[in-house]
Amino acid sequence: MIGSWLKYLVHRKSEYGIHSPFVYDFMCKVLNDSGSNRDYDLMLRISRLVDGKRFATRSRRKQGRFLYRLVRYLEPETVLSFGCVSALNTSALALGNLQTKVYLEQTPEFQETLSAMGVVNVNLISRNADEEEQLERYNTGFVLYGIEDFGEDTWDNLEDGMAQADEDTVLVFEGIHHSRRHEAAWEAIKADEGVTLTMDLYSMGLVFFREGIEKQDFVLKY
């Protein structure tokens, strides 16, 4: 969507235009960390083996590295994702903090392959499981929603996730500008009274429920 991209380019801010201490620290340590890491090489090898070489594009590698740094920065106890998650993103979420337990919908073969390559903190959930029950069971503070999850069922169940959110919760949405429907859903999420902080990275959106701060929506250079 060219119009959305141009609008993003006009409104996005670098860390030098941010006055929020939390967002500034986040940008310096997560968004703008361009350092090398041995785990990045492992993530790429896993992706090429499981996802296929065509999947490991520059933009997808960039997103995987961001998710890795995000988990490393937030150190969530658990990460929960609904829908099919790539091996690249799965390994990023898992390797970001080996103490974090990653729960997702995938096949046993997928889990076994990652485990054989050293990614041992990935756990499977049932594809037919009730989302509300999964949110309650894993008490997660980090939920990843993929592009394909922008259906009516997801947004009905999203209210359950928001109702259980606390100050440490973060929701991550892929493809918030992928279509008009995605953008409408993103605007509805930002307007929720429980949401206090959002970050628009164009390819992804982050939602926080931090207490004691004024409600703010940021468009950040990524």
Side-chain angles (χ1 to χ4, degrees):
M1 298 174 63
I2 297 177
S4 298
W5 173 245
L6 294 176
K7 184 177 179 180
Y8 168 76
L9 292 178
V10 170
H11 293 285
R12 66 180 181 174
K13 294 183 178 180
S14 69
E15 67 272 27
Y16 303 109
I18 299 298
H19 301 292
S20 164
F22 170 72
V23 178
Y24 178 84
D25 188 66
F26 181 90
M27 292 192 72
C28 292
K29 295 180 179 179
V30 182
L31 278 184
N32 299 333
D33 181 357
S34 58
S36 60
N37 191 306
R38 286 183 296 179
D39 285 337
Y40 293 164
D41 297 329
L42 176 57
M43 288 159 46
L44 183 58
R45 290 199 300 273
I46 292 173
S47 178
R48 286 175 172 170
L49 175 65
V50 181
D51 301 323
K53 292 183 178 180
R54 291 184 178 181
F55 188 89
T57 63
R58 182 178 181 276
S59 61
R60 286 171 173 165
R61 293 199 307 270
K62 180 180 180 181
Q63 177 174 307
R65 292 178 179 185
F66 168 77
L67 290 174
Y68 173 93
R69 296 193 301 270
L70 182 61
V71 170
R72 183 182 63 182
Y73 181 76
L74 297 174
E75 297 183 335
E77 181 179 342
T78 58
V79 170
L80 181 61
S81 181
F82 299 103
C84 185
V85 185
S86 68
L88 176 61
N89 285 350
T90 299
S91 58
L93 295 169
L95 292 172
N97 183 2
L98 293 178
Q99 302 305 312
T100 295
K101 295 181 179 180
V102 179
Y103 296 92
L104 47 79
E105 299 172 335
Q106 263 293 357
T107 65
E109 292 77 16
F110 179 95
Q111 182 190 35
E112 290 170 4
T113 300
L114 265 65
S115 180
M117 298 189 71
V119 183
V120 297
N121 51 328
V122 173
N123 306 272
L124 303 183
I125 59 176
S126 171
R127 292 179 180 270
N128 300 318
D130 180 81
E131 184 169 334
E132 181 178 2
E133 292 181 0
Q134 299 291 357
L135 286 165
E136 292 179 352
R137 177 180 178 183
Y138 298 117
N139 189 31
T140 183
F142 188 124
V143 183
L144 173 65
Y145 291 89
I147 291 179
E148 72 280 1
D149 294 324
F150 280 69
E152 292 182 1
D153 291 341
T154 294
W155 299 115
D156 289 340
N157 293 331
L158 180 60
E159 296 180 358
D160 298 323
M162 288 190 168
Q164 297 179 43
D166 58 30
E167 187 177 12
D168 297 322
T169 298
V170 58
L171 306 181
V172 181
F173 298 91
E174 292 184 307
I176 58 174
H177 295 287
H178 182 69
S179 70
R180 298 293 184 190
R181 184 178 65 174
H182 288 71
E183 290 189 330
W186 176 243
E187 291 301 320
I189 292 169
K190 292 196 303 181
D192 186 277
E193 62 181 13
V195 173
T196 58
L197 175 65
T198 65
M199 299 181 187
D200 180 344
L201 312 181
Y202 191 77
S203 61
M204 287 179 287
L206 277 64
V207 176
F208 296 86
F209 303 81
R210 299 173 65 84
E211 298 177 357
I213 63 173
E214 182 181 353
K215 187 177 181 70
Q216 293 177 295
D217 300 307
F218 291 93
V219 178
L220 303 178
K221 184 177 181 180
Y222 170 53

